[in-house]
Amino acid sequence: MVKIIDAHSHLWLKQDTTWNGKVIKTLENGRSMFLGEEVQMVPPFMIDGKNSAEVFLSNMNYAQVSAAVVTQEFIDGIQNDYLEEVQARYPDRFFVCGMADYFKPGFAQQAEELISRGFKAIKIPAHRLILDGQRIWMTSDEMMQMFHLMEDRGIIFSVDLADGDIHVAEMKEIIAECPKLKIAIGHFGMPTTERWHEQIKLARNENVMIESGGITWLFNSEFYPFPGAIRAIKEAIDIVGVEKLMWGSDYPRTITAITYRMSYDFVIKSNELTDHEKELFLGENARKFYGFKQLVDLPYVKNMSE
């Protein structure tokens, strides 16, 4: 069986931040105050709201996921200090992304400091850079300075884009300016929105990949086995080839609705994808792109209910 790698996940010990002037804060029983409403942010058994590496590892071991890429999001607060600890504690299981505060001048220096601390990827949740009455452009002078630094140092650029083609022109400019910069585009191009194919087409460039973090959330109204998500994967294969695509779960938010295993099991059980396509999508592409080496073997453990 292929060794599975999750190319899009999140970790935090506590949410206590703001975005666009609104509060995100950990409550009780897995709930958070989120942009003006109370939501179930993580499963209710996470009663303290801690989304820790140890709980994730337990889910990974149960679901036979060998390794995970931990990205970041402004709605969780900047988690560099915790993720640095996670990387040091579990170097063979996690690949973590650093994140700077792009709303304040000097973020390129922050990124350089993160790289010096050992981070091998820098995240920009670009969809969060569009605020009420303000937009942070990824093609600004300081952003380009940061991208050139990342290209020179071999640092991966992890990015989530706004719906459709809103950010595509900026991404084309970044790719043209920094053609050797390795880029992972998240959320599978937002396949439930119009013109999502334009994001997928960016992976026609040599060093650009697409990962599917959040795809089960985007097709949540269908629920398991997510036939629309399978159709989106097949469409993306037709556009850029399966070698350009990676599976991601968007753990833990997605497992409020489904189990962690279900977030990839629908791919395993699909009759519309070949075994070779499944092998590349679920792990092999991410292994090569992120440079995972010591992937653990995780034998299946029988459920008591079987």
Side-chain angles (χ1 to χ4, degrees):
M1 179 179 174
V2 61
K3 290 182 178 177
I4 298 173
I5 297 172
D6 187 342
H8 189 125
S9 65
H10 299 273
L11 293 175
W12 65 79
L13 293 182
K14 187 177 183 180
Q15 291 178 311
D16 187 7
T17 189
T18 61
W19 176 76
N20 203 18
K22 297 180 180 179
V23 171
I24 303 100
K25 190 175 181 65
T26 295
L27 302 176
E28 296 179 334
N29 301 320
R31 297 178 183 178
S32 292
M33 181 56 62
F34 179 68
L35 307 180
E37 65 176 334
E38 185 174 322
V39 301
Q40 193 72 45
M41 183 65 64
V42 294
F45 55 78
M46 294 184 184
I47 57 174
D48 57 3
K50 288 185 178 179
N51 171 33
S52 70
E54 287 73 24
V55 171
F56 190 21
L57 280 169
S58 182
N59 274 285
M60 290 167 64
N61 292 343
Y62 172 73
Q64 298 173 279
V65 174
S66 293
V69 177
V70 184
T71 183
Q72 294 202 51
E73 236 278 27
F74 282 119
I75 62 171
D76 302 328
I78 295 175
Q79 301 290 331
N80 295 324
D81 292 344
Y82 180 52
L83 296 190
E84 187 176 17
E85 292 177 16
V86 169
Q87 185 72 84
R89 201 177 306 146
Y90 308 107
D92 296 333
R93 303 301 301 275
F94 294 116
F95 180 105
V96 304
C97 300
M99 186 169 72
D101 185 352
Y102 309 109
F103 297 104
K104 298 176 182 177
F107 58 79
Q109 179 62 37
Q110 289 182 43
E112 187 167 11
E113 291 168 359
L114 290 170
I115 294 167
S116 70
R117 287 166 60 177
F119 285 92
K120 297 178 181 178
I122 299 294
K123 177 61 182 276
I124 298 181
H127 59 311
R128 303 292 182 193
L129 299 183
I130 302 174
L131 308 176
D132 294 338
Q134 181 187 11
R135 178 168 176 173
I136 309 297
W137 294 87
M138 288 191 292
T139 49
S140 70
D141 290 344
E142 189 171 7
M143 283 283 190
M144 285 301 189
Q145 176 190 343
M146 183 178 74
F147 294 138
H148 277 293
L149 172 69
M150 292 166 62
E151 183 184 36
D152 292 343
R153 302 280 184 90
I155 303 301
I156 293 172
F157 172 30
S158 174
V159 63
D160 299 332
L161 305 178
D163 293 358
D165 61 353
I166 291 172
H167 280 118
V168 167
E170 288 172 75
M171 290 300 299
K172 287 180 178 179
E173 187 173 337
I174 293 164
I175 293 165
E177 184 80 13
C178 303
K180 294 182 180 178
L181 178 64
K182 294 177 69 175
I183 301 172
I185 297 173
H187 296 164
F188 217 66
M190 299 296 289
T192 54
T193 65
E194 292 184 4
R195 298 185 62 78
W196 69 279
H197 287 166
E198 297 307 305
Q199 290 192 38
I200 303 299
K201 289 175 185 176
L202 292 170
R204 289 172 175 170
N205 294 279
E206 181 180 1
N207 292 307
V208 181
M209 299 286 284
I210 305 290
E211 46 94 339
S212 74
I215 198 167
T216 60
W217 154 64
L218 291 164
F219 289 95
N220 183 61
S221 61
E222 292 183 345
F223 204 64
Y224 187 91
F226 306 108
I230 293 294
R231 285 194 297 273
I233 293 168
K234 287 178 63 63
E235 286 180 42
I237 290 172
D238 289 341
I239 294 169
V240 295
V242 70
E243 295 81 6
K244 288 289 192 167
L245 310 176
M246 304 181 290
W247 169 70
S249 69
D250 212 359
Y251 174 100
R253 280 177 271 269
T254 47
I255 66 164
T256 57
I258 58 174
T259 68
Y260 185 50
R261 182 184 290 274
M262 288 167 72
S263 64
Y264 74 81
D265 186 62
F266 75 98
V267 174
I268 292 278
K269 291 194 167 114
S270 172
N271 294 322
E272 298 184 52
L273 299 169
T274 68
D275 289 343
H276 180 62
E277 288 170 337
K278 294 173 186 177
E279 179 179 344
L280 295 181
F281 180 65
L282 291 173
E284 183 59 18
N285 292 339
R287 183 191 67 78
K288 291 179 180 178
F289 185 75
Y290 289 102
F292 284 103
K293 294 182 175 65
Q294 305 276 333
L295 290 175
V296 297
D297 289 311
L298 295 168
Y300 178 74
V301 176
K302 180 182 176 181
N303 285 328
M304 191 189 77
S305 58
E306 290 182 68

